[in-house]
Amino acid sequence: MQLCRQVATFVVTNPSVYKPQANHLFCCLENLLPGQSHAIENKKFRRNSMYTYDLLEPDCYYIIQEKENDRRLTLLQVKVVGDSCMYVVKYGDDIITEWKRKTDTIHDIIELLDDSAVKKWTDVYFNSEDAYNYEEDEE
């Protein structure tokens, strides 16, 4: 754990060399060490920089803020990764699927959900969707 913190601190404090890796590493470190991200000294770097879709890993669930002035958060999952584009699924009231360029920007990657959070979310999201459809069928 100590080595992980040291590497993350070094990468985040040297953004000119490691910017893409720093963003992703910081997000992963927050997920692996919940409540201990204070060990990284330069949090302003993460908040003031733009991310790109290229940082997102396939089959992982992320909560993101796509645009700076839009306070809405989006849950998305990367399904397919090509050479220059990615096929993503966005979950909300409706499920939206779309292709994004790897260079398209994301204002902030709020969180990479761990497996237990994904399981809880899928149970709630898909069970409430089934309950809604069941009520429609009765009418």
Side-chain angles (χ1 to χ4, degrees):
M1 289 292 184
Q2 184 62 29
L3 178 61
C4 187
R5 281 192 206 120
Q6 289 173 346
V7 169
T9 302
F10 174 77
V11 171
V12 170
T13 55
N14 292 286
S16 60
V17 179
Y18 300 102
K19 183 176 178 179
Q21 295 86 351
N23 291 330
H24 184 68
L25 181 60
F26 191 82
C27 241
C28 291
L29 184 63
E30 284 183 330
N31 194 47
L32 293 172
L33 304 170
Q36 296 182 30
S37 60
H38 63 276
I40 296 180
E41 299 165 9
N42 191 355
K43 288 185 184 181
K44 287 194 289 186
F45 168 73
R46 179 175 175 262
R47 295 289 177 216
N48 294 331
S49 59
M50 295 292 266
Y51 300 100
T52 61
Y53 277 86
D54 191 33
L55 295 172
L56 306 181
E57 298 288 329
D59 298 321
C60 292
Y61 288 83
Y62 295 90
I63 298 175
I64 66 165
Q65 181 182 348
E66 222 166 350
K67 296 183 169 93
E68 182 175 8
N69 296 329
D70 187 356
R71 301 293 298 161
R72 290 179 295 160
L73 301 181
T74 303
L75 176 67
L76 68 80
Q77 181 185 26
V78 176
K79 289 292 197 176
V80 178
V81 178
D83 290 337
S84 58
C85 295
M86 307 174 94
Y87 188 68
V88 299
V89 178
K90 294 180 179 179
Y91 298 94
D93 292 336
D94 296 316
I95 296 175
I96 300 169
T97 57
E98 63 185 352
W99 285 95
K100 295 297 245 177
R101 293 178 195 266
K102 287 183 175 182
T103 56
D104 287 349
T105 59
I106 299 170
H107 175 68
D108 197 6
I109 301 172
I110 308 296
E111 185 175 350
L112 167 63
L113 296 181
D114 63 20
D115 292 340
S116 65
V118 169
K119 175 153 180 26
K120 288 177 187 175
W121 171 79
T122 54
D123 289 347
V124 170
Y125 185 82
F126 292 109
N127 286 338
S128 65
E129 189 176 79
D130 291 342
Y132 180 75
N133 290 337
Y134 177 73
E135 290 173 5
E136 280 184 355
D137 292 342
E138 288 181 354
E139 293 177 4

